[in-house]
Amino acid sequence: DAGVIQSPRHEVTEMGQEVTLRCKPISGHNSLFWYRQTMMRGLELLIYFNNNVPIDDSGMPEDRFSAKMPNASFSTLKIQPSEPRDSAVYFCASKPTGRLQETQYFGPGTRLLVL
Amino acid sequence: AQKVTQAQTEISVVEKEDVTLDCVYETRDTTYYLFWYKQPPSGELVFLIRRNSFDEQNEISGRYSWNFQKSTSSFNFTITASQVVDSAVYFCALSEVGDDKIIFGKGTRLHILP
């Protein structure tokens, strides 16, 4: 079974540019989570979806961030315009909905550097 | 409110020593799940263990063991005979019933010195 797939693995961009991060969850997993990891703030949940519907986006830092899940096998996290403080590792994770005993499985992450 | 505290920010031990990583949690629920994840230098987050609140039995998996004590709201992780490959950041986490979210602690960075 393929795990959670994220692309790109590394992204370097200049301030003001649009950045789009992509995630493919594990097949059959109905919940998808986006996290951001920085040294200062640790691992933060940005947003999560159940059955393609956003459930909790309270962790999204500001309007520059948006996330979509157009179907069960694909999600995007977009930053527009990007700023240097957005530099971080962004993780996507998935798990089956409602089965709380199941853990979240993480993708390899996207390392973003905004210059 | 739910919270996970890992008071040890960074630990260094010499190879073959035993080391315990502490985790204290807060929750109002009586049913919840606790997790440990490992993040090696390569950066991925690797699931290690999940424990539900009704199961207080300690668990051992090779050199890894976990001590869950509801009375002290703790879920500590011990590595026996540590190895250099155990060097990583270890995260403790909590999820409550009815909530798909997992709340992570800040992590403990473990250095195993040769």
Side-chain angles (χ1 to χ4, degrees):
Chain A
D1 263 352
V4 176
I5 299 172
Q6 290 188 248
S7 65
R9 294 292 307 276
H10 303 272
E11 177 83 25
V12 180
T13 190
E14 293 187 346
M15 182 173 62
Q17 296 297 308
E18 177 180 297
V19 175
T20 299
L21 311 181
R22 297 172 176 79
C23 175
K24 177 179 170 57
I26 294 172
S27 178
H29 284 193
N30 299 327
S31 293
L32 183 140
F33 304 79
W34 282 102
Y35 290 86
R36 178 173 67 176
Q37 185 179 32
T38 61
M39 288 296 293
M40 292 296 295
R41 302 173 70 89
L43 202 57
E44 303 174 276
L45 177 65
L46 300 177
I47 184 172
Y48 79 95
F49 297 82
N50 283 347
N51 296 313
N52 313 336
V53 176
I55 302 301
D56 184 348
D57 65 354
S58 59
M60 295 286 262
E62 49 198 273
D63 291 345
R64 297 184 298 106
F65 285 69
S66 63
K68 294 181 180 179
M69 192 165 185
N71 57 63
S73 59
F74 184 66
S75 177
T76 60
L77 177 68
K78 185 176 293 186
I79 308 172
Q80 167 63 24
S82 58
E83 297 182 1
R85 59 189 168 128
D86 301 329
S87 298
V89 181
Y90 291 82
F91 287 100
C92 177
S94 71
K95 80 172 191 71
T97 301
R99 293 172 59 187
L100 289 169
Q101 64 272 29
E102 293 292 335
T103 192
Q104 293 180 19
Y105 294 91
F106 283 77
T110 295
R111 189 173 295 274
L112 173 65
L113 178 60
V114 183
L115 302 174
Chain B
Q2 48 185 314
K3 184 179 179 181
V4 176
T5 301
Q6 295 179 256
Q8 304 151 307
T9 305
E10 200 159 347
I11 301 174
S12 294
V13 300
V14 177
E15 196 174 19
K16 299 183 183 177
E17 289 185 353
D18 298 347
V19 58
T20 295
L21 309 183
D22 297 332
C23 173
V24 174
Y25 62 91
E26 295 176 26
T27 177
R28 294 177 184 167
D29 277 13
T30 56
T31 305
Y32 50 89
Y33 292 87
L34 296 164
F35 307 83
W36 276 94
Y37 284 82
K38 174 183 180 179
Q39 187 174 40
S42 50
E44 72 272 24
L45 278 155
V46 179
F47 164 69
L48 294 178
I49 190 172
R50 174 188 63 241
R51 169 69 72 220
N52 74 57
S53 53
F54 295 113
D55 183 1
E56 286 194 72
Q57 285 190 357
N58 291 335
E59 178 148 345
I60 298 174
S61 176
R63 295 183 298 104
Y64 294 175
S65 62
W66 290 269
N67 183 353
F68 175 30
Q69 292 192 343
K70 287 181 76 171
S71 61
T72 56
S73 297
S74 65
F75 186 42
N76 297 337
F77 172 32
T78 297
I79 302 175
T80 303
S82 60
Q83 300 176 1
V84 173
V85 293
D86 296 325
S87 297
V89 180
Y90 291 86
F91 293 93
C92 181
L94 164 74
S95 71
E96 295 177 337
V97 173
D99 191 349
D100 285 316
K101 295 187 295 187
I102 292 181
I103 301 303
F104 285 85
K106 296 294 187 186
T108 296
R109 184 175 298 274
L110 177 63
H111 300 279
I112 307 299
L113 308 173

